């Protein structure tokens, strides 16, 4: 009897939909407090997941979902850099 692998699911902080982990982008806060986008999903630190959609990212930013998930305040320069990185990755 073949064994089916369990697909890890995560919730998008923007649209609140449950999706497969590989469909989402991870935003991570490492032990030094630096916040960055983790496209590999393997960086150490606390993570929050968002859809590849820029609208979901903007929704999460407006609702302060990243700050709540990562337990810190995030400057707008970091958000702008992450948004530019998401736009470049989506091209």
């Amino acid at each position: 009897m073949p064994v089916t692998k369990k697909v890890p699911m995560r919730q998008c902080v923007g649209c609140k939909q449950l999706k497969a982990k590989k469909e989402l982008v991870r935003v991570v806060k490492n032990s030094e407090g630096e916040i960055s986008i983790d496209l590999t999903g393997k960086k150490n630190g606390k993570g929050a997941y968002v859809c590849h959609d820029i609208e979901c990212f903007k929704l999460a930013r407006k609702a302060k979902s990243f700050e709540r998930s990562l337990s810190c305040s995030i400057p707008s320069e970091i958000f702008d850099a992450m948004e530019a990185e998401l736009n470049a990755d989506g091209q």
Side-chain angles (χ1 to χ4, degrees), residues 13-89:
V13 295
C15 64
K16 306 290 187 214
Q17 289 185 353
L18 207 59
K19 296 187 177 187
K21 186 177 173 182
K22 290 188 183 243
E23 294 178 24
L24 301 171
V25 176
R26 184 171 183 240
V27 176
V28 66
K29 179 180 106 174
N30 64 13
S31 58
E32 288 85 41
E34 297 169 349
I35 297 166
S36 62
I37 288 184
D38 178 17
L39 296 173
T40 63
K42 299 194 186 300
K43 286 185 182 177
N44 287 334
K46 187 172 178 87
Y49 292 86
V50 68
C51 296
H52 254 286
D53 184 21
I54 196 69
E55 293 304 315
C56 261
F57 182 82
K58 288 179 181 178
L59 188 66
R61 180 180 180 178
K62 185 177 179 182
K64 298 190 184 285
S65 299
F66 289 115
E67 285 95 336
R68 206 170 12 265
S69 293
L70 301 175
S71 305
C72 69
S73 62
I74 303 173
S76 62
E77 300 85 49
I78 293 177
F79 274 125
D80 294 339
M82 287 192 301
E83 191 172 333
E85 194 173 336
L86 263 179
N87 279 332
D89 185 49

